Amino acid sequence: MSWLKANWFDLFFTLVILTVTFFIAFKNHTPNTYLSGWDNLHPEFNFKLNIERSLNAVWQEYQGVGLLGGMGHAADLLRQVILAGLSIFIPTSFIRYFWTFLMLFIGPWGVYALLKAKSKIGAFTASMFYIFNLATVQYFFVPFETFIGFFGFLPWLLYFAIDYLDTGKKLWKYALISIFATSAFYVQTLFLVYVIFLFILSFKNIKRAFKLLLVTFLVNAFWLLPVLWFSLTSSSIPTNSDINKIATPETIYMNQARSDFANITTMKGYWFDYYDFGQDKKFDYLFKDWIDYSSKPFIKEIGIGLFVTAILGLILNRQIIWLILLAISYLMLSGFKVPIAVLEEAFRNSFTKWSVAFSFVISIGLGYFVAKLKKFSIIPAILIILVFVYTTLPILTGKLISERVKIKIPITYFEAFDWFNSKSTGERITYFPTFDKWGWNYHDWGYGGSGFIWYGIKNPILDRAFNVWSINNENYYNEITKSILDNDEETFKNIIDKYQVKYLFLDGSIVFPAGDKELLKLETIQKFAKDLEYEKVFTRDFIDIYSTNADVHQTNIATNNFVSVAKYPEIDTSLLK
């Protein structure tokens, strides 16, 4: 009873945070749909398979012809194990929703924990701002596990890090939360952002910082060492891929277009300029509703005012370290060019890497501002909360998560998963159609994104989504696409044989955005399959699967010694300069 009496303020504010996030979750969940699209992870389609892949993450056998993993694939291991256990109680379609909403709760709760010793009202104000700002909206609108994980775990990581630096006690707590937080670093650049924060904070106590940084490395080494090996030996592969030769400068320019003072302080990123092909089969701004709302009177001025207030809060409380972190975050969002090639590629999309770190420090600043008011803090805190909730009010009406990623995945795919996992012995699949070099497909049933079928199928799959990580995968698609466009059946067969493709996976639900579906050349591929006497082994609705007569028992083909059987024109990189 005495514990309850001593902590009832903390329990009350935690309950309010939980209530707010539960309400947001309720408004943003669509029953009987999957949260899927854009970049997504779906281990729930086959937990056993995906956990095994995470345990063997150095070599990504399932990605095309096999490749050295260039992302923190193993970092997602513990999250998968946790969700596998919870899947006993949670429907498969809700698992990704569940994790997304869990991160939405624990992030602001961590902000509150970090500041509550200074001021509980200030801490609550900070926690609410961490939800109600445009950086959070852009993280959750088309959610990707690594980004929402970073949102959720960053406050807790820094809370326990600071606690150890201040007291020298309970380093095990920091180690424990670091283990749970590893999934936040699936995109390893976010780990670099975190380490920069940790390094600056370490000046609070340099002696203890050494142990803290050592524990950080040891906890993350299982996924970090493979990534470091890739960076040392193969980082030029994604940099020089056909996709990134175009996408990298384009992404940098889009970020630079939003790198002025007003856009940074109001946290409007390049997402506000992004066009997408919607479920209405038309191109339009991805953030159209938010563009309209953020154009309302005083929204921009309020954002700038909150930024200034946060700085004032940090100055009045002499929080030099937080001011330095705010300055670094602002600098990276302002278009600062990192003078190291591999880091320039890593930070090409500065907004997705730094916006939540920036909003987090703004939250801290607002909390300190309210704390400085001491016994007069309640009314200013209420006014500040009302003001920033107004700037992002659509969050409360179901606009935090885009309707484009709330979809019903046809059961046909799951039937195809079951067929491959029961009838095949793991031979290579190639996915058609292949018209889009970006590895980004749109389907007539609503999905648009980088793909998902490999999360449910044990077989290696040649898909354009893996091109950026392997020149061999990229070469395959260059060659196979040319053979199809040339209507060259013989070359098509030679390529299928050369890459040891056992199955053709033809997906008739893919559409050609704003174009004629005939351009997908599915009929050409079906004609090839018939002429080459490939056996149709599975057909359901819009999916046809053919078994080829390729010899799939040759030596592993994932080498640099391919003999080209089709010529594909090189990109003239001078056009990109």
Side-chain angles (χ1 to χ4, degrees), residues 13 16-17 20-21 24 108 111-112 115 120-137 151 265-267 290 293-294 296-310 359-370 377-396 400:
F13 283 125
V16 174
I17 295 169
V20 170
T21 52
I24 295 171
V111 172
Y112 177 81
L115 285 180
K120 298 187 188 306
I121 295 175
F124 178 71
T125 304
S127 70
M128 288 295 99
F129 181 79
Y130 196 53
I131 299 173
F132 293 97
N133 68 80
L134 285 179
T136 298
V137 171
F151 172 91
T265 54
T266 56
M267 290 173 256
W290 282 101
Y293 186 82
S294 62
K296 287 182 176 292
F298 307 115
I299 296 287
K300 182 175 77 172
E301 291 76 12
I302 290 171
I304 295 173
L306 290 169
F307 173 72
V308 173
T309 302
S359 70
F360 171 74
V361 183
I362 296 296
S363 301
I364 299 298
L366 290 174
Y368 270 109
F369 178 83
V370 171
S377 63
I378 296 179
I379 293 178
I382 293 173
L383 291 175
I384 290 173
I385 291 173
L386 289 175
V387 163
F388 61 64
V389 168
Y390 165 72
T391 66
T392 52
L393 194 60
I395 288 177
L396 297 174
L400 177 63

Side-chain angles (χ1 to χ4, degrees), residues 407-548:
I407 58 174
K408 295 182 178 181
I409 299 178
I411 194 172
T412 309
Y413 288 100
F414 299 103
E415 291 173 344
F417 296 170
D418 291 341
W419 186 90
F420 277 112
N421 293 331
S422 62
K423 301 295 184 181
S424 75
T425 55
E427 300 92 345
R428 185 168 290 108
I429 302 167
T430 185
Y431 185 75
F432 290 115
T434 64
F435 79 98
D436 185 10
K437 74 177 296 176
W438 305 102
W440 203 262
N441 290 323
Y442 296 96
H443 297 251
D444 58 17
W445 46 269
Y447 181 89
S450 59
F452 60 88
I453 64 170
W454 44 87
Y455 294 108
I457 297 175
K458 65 184 179 182
N459 307 56
I461 299 175
L462 282 157
D463 187 278
R464 280 197 180 272
F466 308 134
N467 280 12
V468 69
W469 303 107
S470 168
I471 186 63
N472 297 328
N473 288 341
E474 191 172 71
N475 285 342
Y476 162 76
Y477 270 107
N478 287 344
E479 294 172 14
I480 203 73
T481 300
K482 188 174 189 301
S483 73
I484 294 169
L485 293 176
D486 289 347
N487 200 27
D488 188 342
E489 191 173 285
E490 181 181 356
T491 299
F492 179 88
K493 180 184 184 304
N494 289 340
I495 296 167
I496 293 297
D497 292 345
K498 167 185 166 183
Y499 288 89
Q500 302 169 21
V501 174
K502 178 63 175 177
Y503 298 104
L504 312 184
F505 189 123
L506 275 59
D507 191 336
S509 72
I510 292 179
V511 299
F512 196 113
D516 192 335
K517 195 168 183 176
E518 290 183 3
L519 295 172
L520 299 177
K521 298 293 183 179
L522 273 177
E523 291 183 359
T524 300
I525 300 168
Q526 288 170 333
K527 180 179 180 300
F528 286 177
K530 181 179 179 181
D531 292 346
L532 295 168
E533 299 183 349
Y534 292 167
E535 180 187 0
K536 185 183 287 189
V537 293
F538 178 94
T539 180
R540 300 282 193 284
D541 297 331
F542 48 81
I543 292 177
D544 291 322
I545 297 169
Y546 292 87
S547 175
T548 74

Side-chain angles (χ1 to χ4, degrees), residues 15 56 147 150 152 169 185 191 200 219 247 257 288 299 319 414 438-439 459 462 497 542:
L15 183 61
N56 298 279
F147 294 132
F150 188 67
K169 299 177 181 178
F185 307 125
F191 183 71
I200 300 299
V219 166
K288 188 177 187 304
I299 296 287
Q319 294 297 312
F414 299 103
W438 305 102
N459 307 56
L462 282 157
D497 292 345
F542 48 81

